Amino acid sequence: METTVLDRFLRYIAVDTMSKPEAEAIPSTEKQRKLAVMLAEELRDMGAADVKLDDHAYVYGTIPATCREKNIPVLGFIAHMDTAPAFSGTDVKPRFVNHYDGKTIVLNQELGISMGPEQYPELLNYVGQDLITSDGSTLLGADDKAGIAEIMTMAEYLLNHPEIPHGTIKIGFTP
């Protein structure tokens, strides 16, 4: 059974990958390596080729071509694992807003945290859609764990459906 993009996203945001800008090492925190190890194992388990996890927590993998045609360009999908250092990424509490109605969203009643179109007018672009936010006490980590979840879900789908013709696809995740 294929894992959904939502299941992956929720699993990835549970891993704190906050960066540390003043660090000289790569990755800037060992927390990022935890997600890198998880992604490399997941790629191997789904059958990706040439999966590598290097000393700096960069993850690489390949979805082999399924069509016989030559000279098809190689596609690459890349996303980063780290999250901003401005807010904590520990103990993320996702909040689901089903069929967003265009009004202010109370993220955390206890802490008095909310967001609405008055502050963020672009929210009105998502009326009627389902949203995932944090509860306001932590960073959600959607940038770029949403991208990672999408890439991994695409990889699993293509690896499970070799009847879909495509050229070689390279995957990379950076700390």
Side-chain angles (χ1 to χ4, degrees):
M1 184 167 106
E2 293 172 354
T3 305
T4 69
V5 71
L6 178 59
D7 291 337
R8 277 196 171 88
F9 177 66
L10 294 175
R11 192 168 66 244
Y12 301 156
I13 65 170
V15 180
D16 180 3
T17 57
M18 182 190 292
S19 63
K20 187 175 180 182
E22 66 277 7
E24 293 184 24
I26 300 173
S28 63
T29 63
E30 284 303 306
K31 299 185 278 188
Q32 295 165 32
R33 187 178 309 281
K34 180 180 176 183
L35 182 58
V37 167
M38 199 165 106
L39 294 171
E41 287 174 3
E42 195 173 333
L43 281 169
R44 285 186 193 102
D45 289 347
M46 67 176 66
D50 305 321
V51 177
K52 293 178 184 72
L53 169 61
D54 75 10
D55 293 341
H56 298 289
Y58 286 80
V59 179
Y60 307 93
T62 302
I63 303 170
T66 57
C67 55
R68 299 175 193 255
E69 295 177 43
K70 302 292 181 200
N71 300 324
I72 295 176
V74 174
L75 291 178
F77 291 90
I78 302 170
H80 63 91
M81 297 176 277
D82 65 314
T83 53
F87 295 97
S88 174
T90 301
D91 196 25
V92 173
K93 295 172 191 74
R95 181 172 177 330
F96 298 87
V97 179
N98 296 316
H99 294 66
Y100 174 57
D101 62 7
K103 297 178 183 169
T104 296
I105 301 167
V106 176
L107 300 174
N108 191 312
Q109 182 84 31
E110 185 178 301
L111 297 176
I113 301 171
S114 62
M115 69 176 182
E118 302 78 26
Q119 306 146 292
Y120 305 102
E122 59 275 6
L123 275 172
L124 294 174
N125 296 331
Y126 303 100
V127 170
Q129 296 185 34
D130 296 337
L131 308 179
I132 305 172
T133 70
S134 79
D135 73 345
S137 66
T138 66
L139 187 70
L140 181 63
D143 174 14
D144 196 19
K145 292 176 184 171
I148 294 170
E150 292 164 344
I151 292 167
M152 293 295 279
T153 302
M154 174 216 44
E156 180 183 50
Y157 189 82
L158 291 175
L159 288 162
N160 286 341
H161 294 277
E163 72 277 7
I164 299 172
H166 60 80
T168 300
I169 299 171
K170 296 287 188 175
I171 295 171
F173 301 117
T174 66

